[in-house]
C-alpha cells in the first residue's frame, strides 16, 4: 500500500478549501482544481486567509503557514491531478456533475490504485463508483464544515469498495489528518445528515408556517438545548442550496416526507439566498 503524498481536491468552494487546508497543514502536496482558474485562485486565497487566522490564534507558526501554502497549487485543468495518490471530490452536490467528474477522474488519474473519494453529503457512493473502471478504489470521505475545526470524518465504503481502500482512507483521515473517523453504510445521508437534515428542514417549516421567527427558533435551540449553533444559522453555514440538495437526495432514497425540502427553502435557493456564502439566508452576513 503506497503512502499518500499528493492529494487532488476537486471543487474550491467552502469544503474544498477546508480539505485543502488540512491536507496542506499535514505536509501533503495538494492540487486544488475548480472549473475556472479564477475560482481555483479564489479558493487558494480562502485557504491563505484561514491559515493567517490560525497563525494569529497561535495554533500554527508563520513557518507552518508558509510551508502549508507552498505545498498547494491550483488549476482549472483536471489532468493536472494525474499523479495524485488520492483525489477528494468536493464539487457541487449534483449527481450528474459528480458522475461526470468521476468518469473524467478515472481517465486522468494514472495510478490504478489511486483512491477516488467523494465528500458528497448524500449521493450514494455506488453511483459514483459505477462511472469508473475502478469501483474498488472509490469511497466516500465526508468531512464536516468548517473542516479545520470539525474533528469528524465519515468513511463510506460502497458494496464494491475494497477493504484495502477503506483502510487506506481511514488511516489517512485518522493518522495523517488527525480526524476521528466513523464508518457508515452507503445509504443517502450516511449517519450525520440522516439525523441532522430532517431537523434543519423542520426548523425551515417552522419559519414558513410562522410558528416563530428564525432568531427565536435559533435561540430556542442554543439557550434551551445547549446546541452551539441554532438550526437556521447552521443551515446558512452549510449553504441552503446544499441543504436542499441533500434533502432531495434523502427523499429520493427513503420517500419519507420529513426529508422533502419545504417550499420556503426552494424559493430561497431559487432567489439566490444561499446563506453565508451569498451574504443572505435566514440571517444577513453582509457588512453593515
Ligand atoms: N457545506 C457543507 O457544510 C458541507 C459539509 C459536508 C459536505 N459537503 C459537500 O461538499 C461538496 C461541496 O460543498 P460546498 O459547500 O463546498 O459547495 P460550494 O458551493 O461552496 O462549492 C462548490 C464548488 O465546486 C465547484 N465545481 C462545480 N462543478 C465543478 C467541476 N465540474 N469541477 C470542479 N469544480 C466544480 C464550484 O465552482 C464551487 O467552487 C458537496 O458535495 C456538499 O454536499 C458540504
Amino acid at each position: 500500500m503506497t503512502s499518500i503524498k499528493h492529494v487532488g481536491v476537486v471543487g474550491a468552494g467552502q469544503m474544498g478549501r477546508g480539505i485543502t487546508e488540512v491536507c496542506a497543514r499535514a505536509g501533503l502536496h495538494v492540487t486544488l482544481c475548480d472549473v475556472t482558474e479564477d475560482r481555483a485562485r479564489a479558493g487558494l486565497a480562502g485557504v491563505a486567509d484561514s491559515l493567517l487566522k490560525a497563525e494569529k490564534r497561535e495554533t500554527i507558526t508563520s513557518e507552518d503557514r508558509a510551508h502549508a501554502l507552498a505545498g498547494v497549487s491550483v488549476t482549472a485543468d483536471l489532468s493536472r491531478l494525474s499523479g495524485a495518490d488520492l483525489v477528494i471530490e468536493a464539487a457541487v452536490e449534483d449527481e450528474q456533475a459528480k458522475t461526470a467528474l468521476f468518469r473524467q477522474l478515472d481517465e486522468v488519474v494514472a495510478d490504478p490504485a489511486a483512491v477516488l473519494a467523494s465528500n458528497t453529503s448524500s449521493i450514494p457512493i455506488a453511483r459514483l463508483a459505477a462511472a469508473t473502471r475502478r469501483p474498488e478504489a472509490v469511497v466516500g470521505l465526508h468531512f464536516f464544515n468548517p473542516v479545520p475545526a470539525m474533528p469528524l470524518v465519515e468513511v463510506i465504503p460502497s458494496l464494491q469498495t475494497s477493504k484495502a481502500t477503506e483502510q487506506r482512507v481511514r488511516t489517512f483521515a485518522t493518522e495523517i489528518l488527525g480526524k476521528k473517523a466513523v464508518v457508515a453504510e452507503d445509504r443517502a445521508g450516511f449517519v450525520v445528515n440522516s439525523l441532522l437534515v430532517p431537523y434543519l428542514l423542520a426548523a425551515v417549516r417552522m419559519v414558513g408556517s410562522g410558528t416563530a421567527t428564525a432568531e427565536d427558533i435559533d435561540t430556542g435551540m442554543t439557550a434551551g438545548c445547549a446546541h452551539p449553533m441554532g438550526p437556521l444559522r447552521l443551515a446558512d453555514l452549510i449553504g441552503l442550496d446544499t441543504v436542499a440538495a441533500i434533502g432531495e437526495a434523502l427523499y429520493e432514497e427513503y420517500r419519507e416526507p420529513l426529508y422533502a425540502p419545504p417550499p420556503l427553502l426552494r424559493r430561497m435557493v431559487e432567489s439566490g439566498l444561499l446563506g453565508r456564502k451569498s451574504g443572505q439566508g435566514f440571517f444577513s452576513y453582509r457588512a453593515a
Side-chain angles (χ1 to χ4, degrees):
M1 203 192 294
T2 53
S3 64
I4 291 170
K5 294 197 175 74
H6 180 189
V7 178
V9 177
V10 182
Q14 46 183 346
M15 294 306 289
R17 294 171 193 199
I19 294 165
T20 297
E21 179 179 337
V22 294
C23 290
R25 278 169 70 163
L28 301 165
H29 172 50
V30 186
T31 305
L32 175 61
C33 180
D34 207 302
V35 283
T36 64
E37 290 273 352
D38 277 356
R39 284 198 189 191
R41 272 197 292 271
L44 179 59
V47 173
D49 195 43
S50 175
L51 286 168
L52 193 60
K53 285 184 184 140
E55 184 187 328
K56 284 187 178 146
R57 285 195 305 270
E58 298 184 354
T59 44
I60 58 170
T61 65
S62 63
E63 291 76 31
D64 295 336
R65 177 168 68 88
H67 190 251
L69 270 179
V72 182
S73 50
V74 295
T75 185
D77 177 4
L78 211 62
S79 68
R80 292 266 309 277
L81 306 188
S82 61
D85 306 304
L86 163 68
V87 176
I88 304 172
E89 172 278 313
V92 64
E93 186 75 350
D94 176 282
E95 188 174 325
Q96 257 186 315
K98 285 195 193 292
T99 311
L101 268 170
F102 271 74
R103 197 171 300 119
Q104 286 173 272
L105 286 169
D106 190 37
E107 294 291 334
V108 303
V109 177
D111 178 0
V115 175
L116 306 182
S118 178
N119 186 50
T120 178
S121 305
S122 57
I123 297 166
I125 304 304
R127 293 191 200 155
L128 306 179
T132 75
R133 291 159 302 173
R134 57 178 102 184
E136 70 287 348
V138 176
V139 67
L141 193 58
H142 184 226
F143 291 82
F144 289 78
N145 188 12
V147 181
M150 299 298 278
L152 187 68
V153 170
E154 288 176 318
V155 173
I156 306 106
S158 80
L159 291 176
Q160 290 183 283
T161 306
S162 69
K163 275 284 164 211
T165 299
E166 179 185 334
Q167 191 52 47
R168 203 170 170 204
V169 294
R170 201 187 164 118
T171 304
F172 170 77
T174 55
E175 290 179 18
I176 312 260
L177 302 185
K179 299 287 186 193
K180 197 174 192 60
V182 295
V183 177
E185 284 218 341
D186 188 17
R187 304 281 182 273
F190 318 129
V191 172
V192 174
N193 279 322
S194 295
L195 295 169
L196 176 67
V197 170
Y199 159 66
L200 300 183
L201 298 178
V204 175
R205 278 188 207 98
M206 287 182 93
V207 177
S209 64
T211 305
T213 63
E215 191 67 59
D216 282 354
I217 292 168
D218 271 21
T219 301
M221 296 311 289
T222 52
C225 293
H227 286 195
M229 187 182 274
L232 296 159
R233 278 192 179 78
L234 180 54
D236 276 354
L237 172 69
I238 293 168
L240 301 186
D241 52 340
T242 302
V243 174
I246 302 170
E248 296 285 6
L250 287 164
Y251 183 70
E252 190 199 310
E253 179 98 323
Y254 303 108
R255 301 284 166 191
E256 298 275 6
L258 80 167
Y259 294 123
L264 174 61
L265 185 64
R266 291 178 197 272
R267 289 304 96 77
M268 290 178 77
V269 172
E270 287 155 7
S271 307
L273 305 173
L274 306 182
R276 199 179 280 211
K277 65 184 166 187
S278 74
Q280 180 71 50
F282 289 98
F283 300 94
S284 176
Y285 303 90
R286 297 192 179 105

